[in-house]
Amino acid sequence: MTKETQFTVGDYLAERLSQIGIINHFVVPGDYNLKLLDYLEYHPKLSEIGCCNELNCAFAAEGYARAHGISAAVVTYSVGALTAFDGIGGAYAENLPVILISGAPNTNDINSSHILHHTIGTHNFDYQMDIAKNLTVAAVALRRAHEAPRLIDHALRQAILQHKPVYIEVPTNMATQPCPKPGPISAVIEPETSDKASLEQATDVAADLISKSEKPLMLAGPKLRAAGAEKAFLKLAEALDAAVVVQPNAKGFISEEYKNYAGVYWGLCSTRNADKIGEFADFFIGAGTVFNDYTSNGYKVGPTPDQFIDSDYMHVSLPGYEFTRVKMDEFLSRLADKVSKKNATMVEYARIKPALLKYAPANPKELLTREELMRQIQGVIDGNTTLYAETGDSWFNGMQMNLPEGAKFEIEMQWGHIGWSVPSALGYAIAAPKRRTVIMVGDGSFQLTGQELAQMVLHKLPVIIFLINNRGYTIEIQIHDGPYNRIKNWDYAAFMESFNAEDGKAKGLKANTGEELEQAIQIALANKEGPTLIECYNHTDDCTKELVAWGSTVGATNARAPSADQ
Ligand code: TPU
Ligand code: MG
């Protein structure tokens, strides 16, 4: 491949992706994007990672954004993009700025009477853009080279400011077109700041409300990390010396070794008596919280509006007030300057704080139980580990894991797409190769996207996958059972090793007993040249009591009869 000397639209996009910090972009090639992929390859600081399909490609980019802050996925028109959209919806739900770049028909064809491949076979070329507009915060289609800088910069800036995915459509004849070189990158990445008057007034009102409360509790939500407000949140916790709880999809955002940490706040599924301290509190100071049907156990968990302050990226809600253009981190930090110590929740928590959950070792010769499995996985988690918990009982097992200082936790609870974990962890491990990435994934979830292990083999990523084989969709069984919740068993360990072909170093192992699991974990920890999958026996009914309790509330919520006034 030789590169033309003139600067083109493809060069512009490549340079901007590099300038915003992207090093690896995730791709599935197709004839509508091949030229563009060449230009991304020409860029000396960009390196592509191929994926098996576009769903996985979008999830891999999503995982890269979790570790690296921002990411890009490049796919072909329709057959690629429509598959990727599922993962892009996930990135939207999970507040991750993924740039989806799709190839598209030649500009001469878009306005002609031609029928094109990879389309529905009509002259409708709008449907892809229509979908993109619903799943992103900026969707642009490049049609003229001179507009490309403006449209690309707009999309990238929105991704960065809003922590959400964006869409850039690049026709197959566009990457080669001459285009001006980029201006300063600050135009794209410079952060927004709060309106000073609104910030002062919001923090005055909040400080007053807190001073009138007696037992304020701090609550971290899933948008806290995207807002980059963790430090400011802790500054406020220190100023108040209040107890700190987190929503399940914010687990790991606050160190579990922080002295005021009081667990996961999730009703019956809470850890470390977080629910009890929630009942004791008379005021909640939230940051980036979201109470959906799952995280509120069917709208039963959570503060009432009159006892709740919450801050989003760019606004603050207080009882009777709403302030726009107030940034979460600036709000929390400024509020910390205005409050004095109010530690009733911490005093109470010291009284009710339970000992950390710890399972006694099982007989090593006996069939694995869930508890023994979790006891041994807990042993793998050190301060350098990122633990992925897939949809299923892995969510509930994951909640109960104790994270040592430095350990991180990833979950996809708003979108809740089974099969997310393997491709997302691929992207994560590419972005953070020095961390130990560990996945807990059920058999049902794994069957959706397991082939992306191939990339972990290719890139020699020592990811450890605990495949929990309970022969079915146990989470669904707990919500509502039927024959559809039983699935075909696979030989998962053999599946893993099939990706080795002639050169891979992956290991696929089976553990039916505690002893076998211990040995498998030793082999996994020693395997630095590829992933290790450990297929772990787990009886279908041997699940957490939290899943059982949660499943019945979700089942009941789903089954509510239509309201009379609907
Ligand atoms: O621990 P366990 O057995 O519940 O996990 P496993 O085996 O991974 O089963 C997960 C079962 C499950 C389904 C079928 N959880 N949620 N669903 C519904 C669902 C269907 N399709 C997608 C893409 N995402 C979903 N969450
Ligand atoms: Mg299962």
Side-chain angles (χ1 to χ4, degrees), residues 17 20 22 70-74 88 97-101 156 159 165-166 168:
L17 292 180
I20 63 171
I22 289 173
I70 194 156
S71 66
V74 191
I88 296 303
V98 176
I99 300 147
L100 178 66
I101 302 163
L156 298 184
V166 295
I168 303 175

Side-chain angles (χ1 to χ4, degrees), residues 203-363:
T203 45
D204 282 346
V205 173
D208 185 49
L209 286 165
I210 292 168
S211 78
K212 287 178 182 144
S213 75
E214 284 176 10
K215 302 175 280 183
L217 176 67
M218 302 256 323
L219 172 63
K223 292 185 176 180
L224 178 71
R225 176 170 71 176
E230 298 98 318
K231 273 199 187 127
F233 182 89
L234 286 174
K235 182 179 165 192
L236 181 57
E238 282 293 285
L240 290 166
D241 196 16
V244 169
V245 293
V246 302
Q247 290 199 280
N249 38 2
K251 181 180 167 81
F253 292 180
I254 300 297
S255 165
E256 298 195 346
E257 295 194 350
Y258 176 50
K259 62 182 182 10
N260 291 21
Y261 180 71
V264 175
Y265 177 69
W266 192 10
L268 294 165
C269 310
S270 297
T271 67
R272 306 191 188 194
N273 283 344
D275 51 341
K276 301 211 167 54
I277 205 65
E279 280 159 25
F280 173 81
D282 67 350
F283 201 77
F284 283 67
I285 305 159
T289 68
V290 179
F291 284 97
N292 69 14
D293 50 345
Y294 276 12
T295 57
S296 70
N297 293 352
Y299 318 110
K300 291 192 191 70
V301 174
T304 53
D306 60 322
Q307 51 160 212
F308 190 32
I309 296 175
D310 198 17
S311 47
D312 207 325
Y313 309 129
M314 262 297 170
H315 74 260
V316 176
S317 307
L318 303 137
Y321 296 87
E322 190 76 19
F323 293 96
T324 56
R325 268 197 66 203
V326 175
K327 261 187 107 185
M328 190 193 298
D329 59 339
E330 293 178 343
F331 171 73
L332 296 170
S333 175
R334 186 78 186 103
L335 182 54
D337 299 334
K338 295 186 180 181
V339 297
S340 42
K341 186 164 160 168
K342 218 155 234 181
N343 66 349
T345 47
M346 225 19 238
V347 172
E348 172 69 2
Y349 193 63
R351 209 174 59 74
I352 64 167
K353 187 178 179 173
L356 286 189
L357 186 70
K358 214 173 169 190
Y359 296 118
N363 179 340

Side-chain angles (χ1 to χ4, degrees), residues 442-445 468-475 487:
D443 50 339
S445 300
I468 301 160
N469 189 358
N470 56 10
R471 308 262 178 142
Y473 298 149
T474 292
I475 187 170
I487 58 175

Side-chain angles (χ1 to χ4, degrees), residues 342-411:
K342 218 155 234 181
N343 66 349
T345 47
M346 225 19 238
V347 172
E348 172 69 2
Y349 193 63
R351 209 174 59 74
I352 64 167
K353 187 178 179 173
L356 286 189
L357 186 70
K358 214 173 169 190
Y359 296 118
N363 179 340
K365 305 276 182 212
E366 278 176 13
L367 266 183
L368 269 175
T369 60
R370 184 195 67 81
E371 287 191 1
E372 175 62 11
L373 181 50
M374 293 310 135
R375 186 186 74 81
Q376 292 203 32
I377 296 176
Q378 178 71 66
V380 174
I381 303 169
D382 64 11
N384 190 39
T385 300
T386 298
L387 180 65
Y388 261 76
E390 173 70 84
T391 301
D393 202 21
S394 296
W395 273 356
F396 300 86
N397 283 314
M399 284 306 128
Q400 292 171 13
M401 291 291 171
N402 298 312
L403 302 177
E405 189 67 40
K408 295 186 180 177
F409 186 80
E410 297 298 336
I411 193 162

Side-chain angles (χ1 to χ4, degrees), residues 6 44 55 61 116 134 146 160 163 194 198 216 253 256 295 360 369 387 396 404 406 417 449 451 476 512 519:
Q6 61 189 345
L55 173 65
L116 291 165
N134 285 291
H146 71 271
I160 291 166
H163 317 280
S194 302
S198 303
F253 292 180
E256 298 195 346
T295 57
T369 60
L387 180 65
F396 300 86
H417 189 302
T449 54
Q451 75 273 55
E476 300 274 319
N512 289 314
Q519 285 162 3

